[in-house]
């Protein structure tokens, strides 16, 4: 696996670790940031496009890609009103996130045992424009 593939594999796995984390961990990671559900949906779509390329290079399996696409379908089904909500608030209020959490956990549990589970969450985000 080349360095670039390793970087994107790590990015994808850490993002999935965030999606798979228990609700309190997710909310703590998001903190007071005003990231919207739309941001999460876009990140899921980005993870899918990364996984497609990595699957073509045998970094992920077709089964992994199938699971990521299921996550994308679930988040993609959120209506426009839900997408404007604050992601941290939506995690507790919308049952779609329970489905996403379960799918992400399933993805992580199909990985070879080269990494302990649970995976560490991504580094906390820095301040974003518009954050309070």
């Amino acid at each position: 696996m080349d360095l670039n593939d390793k970087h994107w594999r790590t990015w994808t796995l850490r993002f999935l670790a965030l999606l798979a984390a228990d609700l309190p961990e997710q909310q703590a990671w998001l903190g007071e940031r005003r990231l919207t559900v739309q941001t999460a949906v876009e990140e899921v779509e980005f993870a899918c496009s990364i996984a497609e390329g990595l699957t073509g290079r045998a970094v992920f399996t077709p089964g992994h890609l199938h699971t990521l696409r299921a996550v994308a379908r679930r988040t993609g089904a959120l209506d426009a009103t839900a997408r404007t909500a604050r992601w941290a608030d939506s995690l507790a209020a919308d049952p779609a996130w329970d489905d996403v959490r379960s799918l992400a956990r399933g993805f992580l549990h199909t990985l070879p045992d080269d990494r302990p589970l649970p995976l560490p969450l991504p580094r906390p985000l820095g301040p974003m424009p518009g954050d309070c």
Side-chain angles (χ1 to χ4, degrees):
M1 177 179 342
D2 73 24
L3 188 58
N4 198 37
D5 285 354
K6 185 175 181 175
H7 168 79
W8 288 114
R9 179 182 187 271
T10 299
W11 182 92
T12 302
L13 295 179
R14 288 209 172 144
F15 180 64
L16 284 209
L18 174 60
L19 293 177
D22 290 331
L23 176 62
E25 291 171 324
Q26 291 172 325
Q27 289 176 321
W29 187 86
L30 286 164
E32 294 301 314
R33 289 177 182 79
R34 298 241 175 254
L35 297 174
T36 64
V37 170
Q38 180 63 34
T39 301
V41 170
E42 290 169 357
E43 291 299 309
V44 168
E45 291 169 354
F46 183 60
C48 278
S49 56
I50 289 171
E52 286 176 16
L54 293 177
T55 299
R57 293 189 295 281
V59 175
F60 289 130
T61 68
H64 291 124
L65 183 56
H66 176 75
T67 302
L68 270 175
R69 286 179 176 157
V71 171
R73 280 191 303 277
R74 189 65 180 109
T75 59
L78 295 168
D79 66 34
T81 304
R83 289 180 184 219
T84 61
R86 191 170 160 249
W87 188 12
D89 296 336
S90 178
L91 285 168
D94 192 329
W97 293 108
D98 293 332
D99 295 341
V100 168
R101 198 172 292 113
S102 177
L103 289 164
R105 288 175 181 171
F107 178 101
L108 294 173
H109 284 289
T110 63
L111 295 172
D113 290 334
D114 63 346
R115 297 191 138 208
L117 291 175
L119 293 168
L121 295 180
R123 283 190 294 265
L125 297 170
M128 301 289 286
D131 279 352
C132 296

